[in-house]
Amino acid sequence: MRISKADKIFYTVNYVVLSLIALSCLLPLMHIVALSLSDTHSVASGLVTLWPVGLTLESFDLFLNGTNVIQSLKNSVTITIVGIVLSMVFTITTAYPLTKRYLIGRSYFIFGAVFTMLFTGGMIPTYLVVKELGLINTYGALWLPALISTFNLLIMKSFFENIPSEVEEAARMDGCGEWSMLFRIYLPVSLPVIAALSLFYGVGYWNLFMSVMIYMNETNKYNLTVLVQQMIQSQSLLQEMVATQTEDSIQITPEGIKATGIMVMILPMLIVYPFLQKYFVKGVMLGAVKG
């Protein structure tokens, strides 16, 4: 196919704009990685730009052995894993009946779900509800308000609706009930969308910040995101961390520890994403066709 001059200009502009956007995301990440892997003298002297200078893992060793870091990491893993399981169970069991046209009041349930996506109660009403339920200072306060994302619910519902009706008819002729239909027919063919939505929920729970600050009263229940934010904002926490180390480690700079904290926080998502990226086209895009 012959490409016209206008198309060439369009493609060139597209490549340039996309390259600039990619560099604006990639360069800060490379700088953070370089700071976390560089030695103290190079970081303090401002010699580190995009590549590590004097490669060392001292910042990681100090960060992982610092105050409350391991506990915060455990809290983040607990919040994320339990949150993903709960959210996926409730999202799937809510989306499945909404695909059935014989469900009484189906259109009203869908309207109610979409309405909550457009209009929310706000922070104070949500806090009062959580408080009346006795969930303050418990992880239930983090999981319950975020149990079902309406956006993810609509994607799951649309994906279920794309499953051929002939498959369901054949299963019903073999005696499948609703639960058998869900677990033996729908879920096995829905792995792409389940993987994609699990990643969406996982990123959300892993990066929880405001909810933790509002509902958690004890610092030993903070997740890694809050700890890193406090390290960036508070020099006293960094000094406390440095004071627990040996004479050699005291030379570690706060900038290096901050960069290490950010790396530890984003590393799990960077590792998981490439394995789930292949499911995005089948999971999210196919599920969004009817959405």
Side-chain angles (χ1 to χ4, degrees):
M1 184 179 69
R2 185 177 180 182
I3 300 176
S4 65
K5 185 177 180 181
D7 288 338
K8 290 180 180 179
I9 296 174
F10 176 75
Y11 291 142
T12 302
V13 172
N14 263 351
Y15 280 123
V16 171
V17 172
L18 291 176
S19 298
L20 290 176
I21 294 174
L23 287 175
S24 68
C25 298
L26 184 61
L27 294 181
L29 179 62
M30 291 180 64
H31 181 62
I32 292 296
V33 173
L35 283 176
S36 65
L37 295 176
S38 299
D39 62 26
T40 305
H41 175 72
S42 302
V43 174
S45 303
L47 300 177
V48 181
T49 54
L50 299 179
W51 307 105
V53 180
L55 189 64
T56 178
L57 295 176
E58 287 181 341
S59 296
F60 283 91
D61 181 57
L62 175 59
F63 181 81
L64 294 177
N65 290 293
T67 307
N68 290 334
V69 172
I70 298 299
Q71 182 61 43
S72 298
L73 191 58
K74 291 179 181 177
N75 294 341
S76 291
V77 172
T78 301
I79 293 170
T80 302
I81 293 178
V82 177
I84 291 174
V85 173
L86 289 176
S87 292
M88 288 308 301
V89 168
F90 278 85
T91 300
I92 290 171
T93 53
T94 304
Y96 176 73
L98 291 179
T99 62
K100 307 303 176 189
R101 298 189 180 279
Y102 53 80
L103 176 68
I104 299 174
R106 172 175 174 266
S107 59
Y108 295 102
F109 289 127
I110 296 175
F111 173 79
V114 174
F115 186 84
T116 62
M117 186 170 65
L118 301 177
F119 304 97
T120 61
M123 182 183 299
I124 294 177
T126 304
Y127 176 83
L128 293 176
V129 171
V130 171
K131 182 180 178 182
E132 289 300 318
L133 292 175
L135 296 177
I136 295 297
N137 206 31
T138 68
Y139 290 146
L142 307 179
W143 294 321
L144 186 61
L147 204 54
I148 298 177
S149 162
T150 306
F151 178 75
N152 293 343
L153 174 67
L154 295 178
I155 291 177
M156 178 65 75
K157 170 180 166 294
S158 299
F159 193 93
F160 282 163
E161 289 175 339
N162 281 314
I163 296 175
S165 59
E166 292 79 4
V167 176
E168 182 172 347
E169 292 172 1
R172 290 201 183 280
M173 291 179 66
D174 290 338
C176 267
E178 296 297 347
W179 287 107
S180 297
M181 187 72 67
L182 175 62
F183 286 103
R184 298 175 62 181
I185 304 297
Y186 277 72
L187 292 188
V189 300
S190 303
L191 293 182
V193 71
I194 291 175
L197 297 187
S198 296
L199 181 62
F200 288 168
Y201 279 122
V203 172
Y205 283 116
W206 184 262
N207 292 326
L208 274 180
F209 173 72
M210 187 59 70
S211 300
V212 178
M213 295 296 292
I214 292 174
Y215 299 123
M216 296 295 115
N217 297 329
E218 300 175 8
T219 56
N220 61 352
K221 294 184 177 179
Y222 284 175
N223 59 355
L224 193 60
T225 307
V226 174
L227 182 69
V228 171
Q229 189 275 339
Q230 289 185 340
M231 287 173 53
I232 294 173
Q233 296 293 327
S234 171
Q235 290 296 325
S236 61
L237 186 61
L238 285 173
Q239 292 169 359
E240 181 183 354
M241 180 177 291
V242 172
T244 61
Q245 304 305 308
T246 62
E247 289 296 329
D248 293 337
S249 299
I250 290 176
Q251 300 303 319
I252 300 295
T253 61
E255 289 75 15
I257 299 178
K258 290 176 184 176
T260 305
I262 295 172
M263 278 302 302
V264 171
M265 190 175 68
I266 65 176
L267 198 57
M269 294 302 141
L270 292 178
I271 295 174
V272 170
Y273 183 80
F275 295 99
L276 298 180
Q277 191 269 340
K278 62 181 179 182
Y279 295 114
F280 278 13
V281 175
K282 291 183 179 178
V284 178
M285 300 306 292
L286 185 58
V289 168
K290 290 185 177 180

